[in-house]
Amino acid sequence: MRETLAALEAGEIGVEEAESRLAGYATTDAGRFDAARERRRGIPEAILAEGKTPAEVTALATTALETTGRALVTRADEATAAAVASAVGDGDPDATVDRDDRTGSVVAHAGDFERPSLDAAVAVVAAGTADAPVAGEAAVVAREIGAAVDRVDDVGVANLDRILDQVGRIRGADAVIVAAGREGALPTVVAGLVDAPVIALPVSTGYGVGGEGVAALQGALQSCSVLTTVNVDAGFVAGAQAGLIARAVDAARAE
C-alpha cells in the first residue's frame, strides 16, 4: 500500500491504477474492471461488448489499458471496435491495437506492455469455415495468456482425410480446442487420436432439430472419447482453459 501511495504522490501512476492495486478493481461509469484477475487467476479480464454501448466498452477498455497495460474486448461489432481503437490511440500513441472483425475481438497493448510467453502450444481446430469465428475467439484468448497457438481450419468429419492429414501437427500441441457445429462429431474424433487434453467447443452452426449448437453440445457431453466440454459458442472459456493448461505445462518444463 505504501509503495502504491508513494508512486501516486510522485505522479508515476494515476488514480485509477492506484485504486486497482489497492482494491483489486477499478471503478468506471460503465462498471468495475477486475484489474487483478490475471494476477489472481492467470487469465486476463475480458470486456464483453455484447449488451454494452460503444461508450461503455470504450470506458472499460481504456481503464484496462491504464491499469494492466492491456485491453481484451470480445464480441464487438464494427462501430464498437472502431470506437475502442480510436480511444486507445488518443490515450496512448505508442499503443498497438489488433482488430479481428471476424471474431469480434479487439486487443490493445500499451507501448511498454510485454505479453506473456509460455513454453507450451495450443492447437485450435475448426470443423468448418462457419465455425472459425468462435474458434478464433478461443485462439485470441489462449494467445494472450501466452501460449503459442496453431490454427487448423476446415477439417470436419464429412471427409476424414482432412483431419487425418493434420493429426501429426495436432499431436504436437499441449492442449487442443476443437470447435464444431451441426452434430459436433469432430471433438470426439480428435480426442480419440491425440494424447493432449481436448476441449470441445460446440458452435451454434446448424439448423432444424438440434440446431443452434444443441446437437453439438449434447454430442460432446455424450462423447465416448475423453474430453472436456464448454458451453455453446464459449470461445473465451475454451481459450482460457487451454491457456491455463499451457501455463501448467510451462511451469512443469521450467522446473
Side-chain angles (χ1 to χ4, degrees):
M1 183 184 297
R2 183 177 292 275
E3 290 176 356
T4 298
L5 294 174
L8 178 63
E9 183 180 33
E12 296 171 0
I13 62 174
V15 173
E16 287 187 334
E17 183 170 351
E19 179 190 26
S20 71
R21 289 186 185 183
L22 296 174
Y25 60 86
T27 303
T28 76
D29 291 339
R32 293 185 175 93
F33 177 76
D34 186 356
R37 180 166 300 186
E38 185 165 14
R39 185 170 64 251
R40 188 177 69 249
R41 285 285 291 120
I43 302 167
E45 168 76 304
I47 301 159
L48 175 66
E50 284 183 351
K52 299 181 179 74
T53 66
E56 288 170 337
V57 175
T58 298
L60 289 167
T62 54
T63 299
L65 203 66
E66 291 169 3
T67 57
T68 69
R70 166 171 54 192
L72 171 58
V73 179
T74 62
R75 313 279 173 105
D77 59 25
E78 188 174 345
T80 299
V84 170
S86 177
V88 168
D90 291 342
D92 183 354
D94 295 326
T96 61
V97 181
D98 184 12
R99 286 176 55 184
D100 187 334
D101 292 335
R102 187 88 192 279
T103 66
S105 65
V106 183
V107 179
H109 292 159
D112 58 353
F113 180 81
E114 293 185 12
R115 187 171 63 193
S117 179
L118 303 174
D119 182 16
V122 173
V124 179
V125 182
T129 303
D131 304 314
V134 176
E137 181 177 286
V140 167
V141 176
R143 189 177 294 114
E144 286 303 304
I145 293 174
V149 174
D150 184 18
R151 290 285 303 271
V152 182
D153 293 319
D154 202 16
V155 289
V157 298
N159 180 356
L160 284 174
D161 290 333
R162 295 186 296 187
I163 185 63
L164 294 176
D165 284 346
Q166 303 298 321
V167 168
R169 178 177 166 191
I170 298 169
R171 283 175 176 161
D174 300 295
V176 183
I177 299 169
V178 185
R182 298 190 67 88
E183 84 284 9
L186 186 62
T188 292
V189 172
V190 172
L193 295 171
V194 304
D195 64 358
V198 172
I199 301 168
L201 174 53
V203 182
S204 58
T205 53
Y207 44 83
V209 176
E212 300 300 318
V214 173
L217 174 62
Q218 292 176 337
L221 292 173
Q222 291 283 8
S223 176
C224 59
S225 299
V226 176
L227 50 75
T228 299
T229 305
V230 300
N231 208 347
V232 177
D233 292 342
F236 176 85
V237 177
Q241 288 287 66
L244 289 175
I245 294 170
R247 289 183 74 234
V249 169
D250 175 78
R253 286 174 176 163
E255 292 181 352

